[in-house]
Amino acid sequence: MSTWTHWHNRFAERARRPLPPLDDAAELPAAWRAPLARSLARFQIGEAGEGRIAHQVARVTLPAVDDEYRAALRLFVREEGRHARILGGMVRGLGGELLGTTWSERLFVRVRRLAGFRLKILVLLAAEVVGIGFYGSIAARLPVGKLRAALEEITGDEASHLDFHVDFLRRQIDGAGARWLARAAWLSIAGIACALVVVDHGGTYAQVGVGRRRALVDYARRILAVERALTGPAPARAAAEPVVAAPQAA
Ligand SMILES: [Fe+2]
Ligand SMILES: [Fe+2]
């Protein structure tokens, strides 16, 4: 059995879930609707844009990559597409409009296209940290309801994606030099991505009562936890325990 079979099975099982019901967002304070719709529309574009790597993986020959990994990665991309559909429903339910593209998405795509496969996965790993921090912080502040439940579900998926990418990258980092390189690449890419999100979505964070400083401290904590998981000694944590936890309600 491949080391990736359990990931393939997990993605396949989650693919069977029905889309969460999002027929209204009546539980939401009126002042939150416009900034939230704007932010979620920006995230929706990122979730929809990861299709190329699903084709690229067919040609990748790297240590630990086999057909089970390729199948799991394709299901991961599909799960991100599912997030895009859920976020699209949220944006429309909040009275917002979906966007064609954004500067941050164009930057993200450009960096990914310049990169080899492993660096692409590192960039996707940064996107998971960004997503967990943003969706999780917002979900923790929302009143109990369908929108909160759907964002919590997406946050849980992103935490699982993060573990999937860490599992892959750990197998690619061999030797002190590679560890140093991976650490430098991770801290700079994830640091820039998270700082940009806090700046870009600062208004939304403020509207739901999360200060920029708190958002940045939360991100820094997660970035360092992933750095330890990527380049530290083999994890002592139980396999089911995520590398980073979702934000808790204040
Ligand atoms: Fe996602
Ligand atoms: Fe993800």
Side-chain angles (χ1 to χ4, degrees), residues 54-83:
H55 299 292
Q56 190 189 353
V57 74
R59 302 187 303 274
V60 167
T61 50
L62 284 171
V65 169
D66 62 12
D67 283 346
E68 283 289 82
Y69 177 76
R70 294 186 182 95
L73 190 85
R74 285 191 197 102
L75 289 177
F76 148 76
V77 169
R78 261 206 255 164
E79 193 161 277
E80 299 294 21
R82 180 177 184 274
H83 293 171

Side-chain angles (χ1 to χ4, degrees), residues 23-249:
D23 35 25
D24 70 272
E27 67 267 17
L28 213 64
W32 292 16
R33 299 175 79 96
L36 203 52
R38 177 188 167 276
S39 281
L40 293 177
R42 297 177 81 75
F43 273 86
Q44 194 270 344
I45 294 190
E47 297 276 7
E50 288 172 10
R52 285 165 70 105
I53 201 161
H55 299 292
Q56 190 189 353
V57 74
R59 302 187 303 274
V60 167
T61 50
L62 284 171
V65 169
D66 62 12
D67 283 346
E68 283 289 82
Y69 177 76
R70 294 186 182 95
L73 190 85
R74 285 191 197 102
L75 289 177
F76 148 76
V77 169
R78 261 206 255 164
E79 193 161 277
E80 299 294 21
R82 180 177 184 274
H83 293 171
R85 285 198 296 284
I86 297 171
L87 291 178
M90 288 179 186
V91 171
R92 283 188 291 269
L94 291 166
E97 282 183 19
L98 295 178
L99 303 172
T101 184
T102 62
W103 66 265
S104 47
E105 173 60 9
R106 283 194 296 275
L107 177 69
F108 188 63
V109 167
R110 189 159 299 181
V111 171
R112 274 209 320 254
R113 286 190 185 163
L114 284 174
F117 185 79
R118 287 178 284 204
L119 193 55
K120 275 184 183 150
I121 297 293
L122 196 81
V123 174
L124 289 175
L125 181 60
E128 306 300 351
V129 172
V130 162
I132 292 166
F134 184 78
Y135 301 139
S137 306
I138 301 296
R141 296 296 176 129
L142 291 181
V144 172
K146 291 171 184 165
L147 196 62
R148 175 176 175 145
L151 274 179
E152 284 173 344
E153 185 187 290
I154 294 178
T155 310
D157 290 352
E158 310 299 19
S160 168
H161 298 170
L162 184 147
D163 288 355
F164 175 55
H165 298 324
V166 166
D167 198 356
F168 170 78
L169 288 168
R170 270 193 74 90
R171 294 168 200 275
Q172 306 299 321
I173 301 168
D174 189 18
R179 260 198 305 284
W180 186 90
L181 252 179
R183 191 174 286 136
W186 170 248
L187 292 176
S188 43
I189 290 171
I192 290 169
C194 291
L196 287 177
V197 164
V198 173
V199 170
D200 201 16
H201 299 271
T204 309
Y205 272 121
Q207 186 68 59
V208 302
V210 179
R212 279 191 180 151
R213 178 193 289 261
R214 169 154 176 206
L216 281 172
V217 168
D218 273 5
Y219 273 131
R221 211 164 31 83
R222 285 195 185 83
I223 289 170
L224 294 175
V226 171
E227 188 224 357
R228 285 191 297 275
L230 273 182
T231 62
R237 66 198 168 84
E241 195 183 321
V243 172
V244 299
Q248 299 299 307

